[in-house]
């Protein structure tokens, strides 16, 4: 079994963006990459084979959700997530920290951990850095995350400082608790929009020597300019020989802006969630498949797309499936959006390798009418 | 384009059961066969490729549902059902007569047609034999059905007699209205449990010379012995050189009993509907995947099954997907049940060709603890 390590293969001479290879126990994958989300050990509606066909590399599953259902012992009994869900490529689990923040209305944070409520039945739950790692050890993903607090935005300085310092202590405890040398452990940089706190977080984590570093606390209500600043604050203080993962970001403009700032990994439920609601990413911009104008439209979702959906089905049929709330429609639309982002990151890698990523970015933004001040689309 | 005809290839010397080939504009298929149901131009959750892999031949779509959504003109605009949903093998549409009976609480039948209510919005609808055929011509399936009344069971003699006679007049009108010589038109035998009315219906339809004959008015509340009697009453008076289709029947015991009585074609939503509710047909009998005892069970649904689901996933994983109401679970469970019936009908065809269908039936019934008086399972 190959141990986890990151190989920085090339830095784009035009932009400074990075192309690399992540070596993992389940094979090598290329960065920058987008990771589809399989919250409950399933990328909703899709088979592993469909994901492979689209060039999917790492996929993500959620520790919090799997802890509740089916429980980490059920997954462990199957030999871990890969065997449980029959996904043969690398996997990543988050720490549950973000779900504590996003899925429970009430939570009480103390030094030991977080008391909060089960979103399914309201029962009390308690998650600690050790417990999060223990669950993730049982789930058995190739890459796992430190347990962190994800403060809201905006957040006052005093609270953020206390939180960052506590999250650093939690990172230490999690690192100590981590039992499986075959699973890479990432630290999570927090600190909101405060450069000194991002610096404190990043440098302290770097000193602890994690296998990689996540940038957390984004996509929590801040505008995009602020998010890009947060990324810059964090990355400045992170070692260049380790992978950087921007958590929960999957809009195409943000992926490109993230890569430009040195990010290697992205994940987001966005492409699948909006697909299930009929919103598609295409080379012609956003398509809302429910639109009446597609009723008789026999063209594919995107004439420039080569995904299974675009090769075989018309807008007219997809609109019909959407209007009837058919599962096969959700499946076909999810395929298209995931493929769009996997293809985008593939194109990004090519552009970096050819030292033309700035040109790529400018062409893409011009084509989609995007700019940082006025990000359209997704 | 090959014209529709039925070739009776072999009659089992042991049982009288029939093996045949249906020649259609979309290729040849073998009988007896089970036809998966794709109500709204999609076999729920499944791709055409998944159906082909399982050996699916004809699939069915529902005229009533497609009339309402997306409307027959949308399907026709795509070049018909095959192109609309990308299914390259033969298709069959029903007449809407059964949905008038099953999906509207109120209906008013007169000589012209049936007034009833849209199940989606309660608006008034009117369906006639001509309208049903016109819609089916636009949908473009290889095999289409005459518009019939499907009376309830039990039903008094006078009502049934009037109904059968009216349905015969409707069959004449539909035949006259039928515009597309590439679509085979079937007549539907009604008459409930009255032998003389089944005889009247069957002989009159046979005199009109349809391309095939359906047996309707079953699976409407009668017990299985009664259903088998209805089949016998009808088939006695049907020509042997035309295919016979028992509508809406898909339990494995009834398929076997139907074949024994000379039926060639079956359809039913049962395998997919019960699959979505967690009930599976297996060589070990019925499996309810929600059962707590499967929580840690790493065996496949059915160790003797070679479907995609059984080759790749455990009961533990399938139970998890079911409990979380995940679409991929519905997809995997539907695949298993459809595969079970497609494999069963394949085995039936082999047994007929080898003149051992009675042995096959007896072995199957013994294995599953089935008998006509006490049909277990499905």
């Amino acid at each position: 079994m190959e141990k986890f390590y990151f190989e920085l293969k090339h830095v784009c001479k035009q932009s400074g963006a990075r192309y690399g290879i992540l070596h993992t126990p389940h094979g090598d994958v290329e960065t920058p990459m987008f990771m589809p989300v399989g919250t409950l050990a399933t990328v909703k509606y899709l088979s592993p084979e469909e994901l492979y066909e689209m060039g999917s590399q790492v996929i993500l599953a959620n520790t919090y959700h799997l802890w509740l259902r089916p429980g980490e012992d059920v997954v462990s009994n199957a030999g871990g997530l890969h065997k449980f869900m029959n996904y043969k490529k690398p996997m990543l689990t988050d720490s549950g920290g973000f779900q504590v923040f996003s899925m429970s209305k009430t939570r009480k944070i103390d030094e030991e951990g977080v008391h909060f409520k089960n979103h399914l039945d309201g029962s009390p739950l308690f998650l600690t850095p050790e417990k999060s790692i223990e669950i993730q050890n049982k789930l058995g993903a190739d890459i796992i995350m430190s347990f962190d607090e994800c403060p809201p935005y905006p957040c006052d300085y005093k609270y953020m400082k206390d939180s960052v310092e506590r999250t650093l202590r939690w990172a230490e405890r999690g690192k100590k608790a981590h039992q499986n040398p075959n699973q890479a452990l990432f630290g999570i940089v927090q600190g909101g929009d405060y450069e000194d706190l991002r610096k404190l977080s990043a440098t302290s984590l770097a000193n602890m020597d994690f296998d990689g570093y996540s940038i957390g606390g984004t996509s929590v209500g801040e505008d995009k300019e602020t998010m890009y600043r947060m990324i810059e604050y964090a990355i400045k203080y992170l070692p260049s020989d380790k992978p950087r993962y921007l958590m929960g970001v999957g809009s195409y403009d943000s992926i490109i802006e993230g890569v430009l700032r040195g990010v290697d990994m992205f994940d987001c439920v966005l492409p699948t969630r909006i697909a299930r609601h009929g919103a598609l990413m295409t080379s012609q911009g956003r398509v809302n498949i429910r639109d009446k104008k597609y009723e008789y439209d026999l063209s594919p979702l995107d004439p420039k797309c080569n995904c299974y959906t675009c090769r075989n089905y018309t807008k007219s049929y997809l609109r019909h499936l959407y209007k009837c709330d058919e599962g096969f429609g959700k499946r076909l639309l999810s395929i298209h959006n995931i493929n769009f982002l996997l293809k985008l990151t593939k194109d990004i890698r090519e552009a970096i390798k050819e030292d033309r990523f700035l040109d790529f970015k400018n062409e893409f933004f011009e084509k989609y009418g995007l700019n940082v001040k006025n990000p359209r689309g997704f």
Side-chain angles (χ1 to χ4, degrees), chain A:
Chain A
M1 190 184 277
E2 190 173 24
K3 233 191 112 40
F4 180 93
Y5 72 100
F6 177 66
E7 201 180 346
L8 181 58
K9 298 286 280 186
H10 185 75
V11 176
C12 173
K13 291 185 181 63
Q14 193 183 50
S15 67
R18 297 145 53 98
Y19 166 73
I21 293 180
L22 272 186
H23 300 265
T24 86
H26 288 86
D28 296 350
V29 291
E30 295 174 293
T31 62
M33 70 169 147
F34 173 76
M35 307 183 286
V37 178
T39 296
L40 280 157
T42 165
V43 177
K44 291 190 188 304
Y45 298 94
L46 305 190
S47 69
E49 292 75 15
E50 283 165 330
L51 290 165
Y52 304 150
E53 196 212 311
M54 290 189 271
S56 167
Q57 308 189 104
V58 177
I59 64 170
L60 186 143
N62 291 114
T63 293
Y64 166 75
H65 291 86
L66 292 168
W67 178 38
L68 301 189
R69 295 186 300 182
E72 66 277 17
D73 288 334
V74 170
V75 177
S76 171
N77 172 65
L81 270 175
H82 295 85
K83 286 187 179 160
F84 185 58
M85 69 181 286
N86 195 35
Y87 189 76
K88 300 185 199 319
K89 296 197 175 188
M91 293 192 67
L92 181 153
T93 48
D94 60 4
S95 66
F98 184 75
Q99 281 69 35
V100 167
F101 164 77
S102 68
M103 303 203 65
S104 178
K105 273 178 196 153
T106 59
R107 70 198 79 90
K108 202 184 140 283
I109 302 168
D110 59 29
E111 187 60 28
E112 181 62 14
V114 189
H115 297 267
F116 61 110
K117 291 243 160 67
N118 184 325
H119 76 287
L120 298 170
D121 63 11
S123 63
L125 292 172
F126 185 50
L127 205 51
T128 66
E130 290 81 6
K131 182 70 187 170
S132 170
I133 296 292
E134 183 199 327
I135 299 168
Q136 293 185 79
N137 284 159
K138 286 188 178 173
L139 296 176
D142 302 83
I143 305 169
I144 69 175
M145 295 295 130
S146 292
F147 187 63
D148 63 329
E149 183 190 351
C150 182
Y153 178 86
C155 172
D156 72 62
Y157 185 83
K158 172 78 175 74
Y159 185 95
M160 184 62 87
K161 184 160 188 290
D162 290 346
S163 168
V164 163
E165 288 170 351
R166 186 170 47 231
T167 287
L168 286 171
R169 292 189 295 274
W170 286 359
E172 287 252 33
R173 282 165 54 190
K175 200 160 189 293
K176 218 162 145 186
H178 181 38
Q179 296 294 326
N180 185 347
N182 291 317
Q183 293 180 288
L185 177 60
F186 280 31
I188 303 182
V189 181
Q190 291 287 355
D193 193 23
Y194 301 106
E195 181 167 10
D196 64 325
L197 298 182
R198 287 279 175 189
K199 178 181 178 185
L200 170 69
S201 180
T203 52
S204 306
L205 290 170
N207 284 336
M208 293 182 219
D209 193 24
F210 282 92
D211 298 306
Y213 300 91
S214 304
I215 300 167
T218 67
S219 296
V220 291
E222 81 283 8
D223 58 74
K224 292 210 170 186
E225 276 190 275
T226 303
M227 178 170 81
Y228 301 147
R229 214 163 49 229
M230 291 174 175
I231 299 170
E232 289 162 11
Y233 292 162
I235 283 186
K236 234 158 108 170
Y237 305 102
L238 288 174
S240 65
D241 62 344
K242 294 288 171 71
R244 297 112 174 222
Y245 160 30
L246 181 60
M247 305 179 84
V249 170
S251 64
Y252 42 62
D253 50 326
S254 297
I255 288 178
I256 291 172
E257 295 285 358
V259 168
L260 191 64
R261 288 162 176 79
V263 175
D264 308 300
M265 303 160 67
F266 302 85
D267 83 284
C268 197
V269 294
L270 180 104
T272 41
R273 182 172 292 161
I274 65 173
R276 297 197 301 277
H277 291 92
L280 289 314
M281 299 168 169
T282 82
S283 65
Q284 263 100 70
R286 188 184 184 115
V287 166
N288 287 307
I289 198 63
R290 81 191 73 186
D291 199 320
K292 177 86 176 161
K293 73 181 173 197
Y294 300 128
E295 190 173 17
Y296 287 88
D297 190 332
L298 299 181
S299 69
L301 272 179
D302 185 346
K304 292 195 177 159
C305 176
N306 195 36
C307 79
Y308 171 76
T309 304
C310 289
R311 289 200 311 275
N312 293 293
Y313 303 92
T314 63
K315 288 201 195 80
S316 175
Y317 182 60
L318 295 168
R319 178 177 187 271
H320 163 62
L321 294 179
Y322 176 81
K323 298 281 286 182
C324 296
D325 198 32
E326 283 286 348
F328 189 49
K330 298 181 206 291
R331 176 177 164 187
L332 292 176
L333 297 175
S334 296
I335 285 175
H336 175 81
N337 270 2
I338 289 180
N339 188 79
F340 185 92
L341 288 188
L342 292 174
K343 174 71 167 55
L344 171 65
T345 43
K346 186 166 184 278
D347 291 345
I348 286 173
R349 293 192 296 268
E350 291 309 307
I352 294 172
K353 284 194 271 185
E354 293 166 11
D355 296 312
R356 55 172 178 81
F357 181 65
L358 262 191
D359 295 343
F360 176 88
K361 185 208 145 170
N362 291 334
E363 282 160 25
F364 191 94
F365 273 50
E366 188 170 342
K367 185 171 148 195
Y368 286 81
L370 299 168
N371 62 64
V372 179
K373 287 201 194 290
N374 181 27
R376 266 193 351 134
F378 299 98

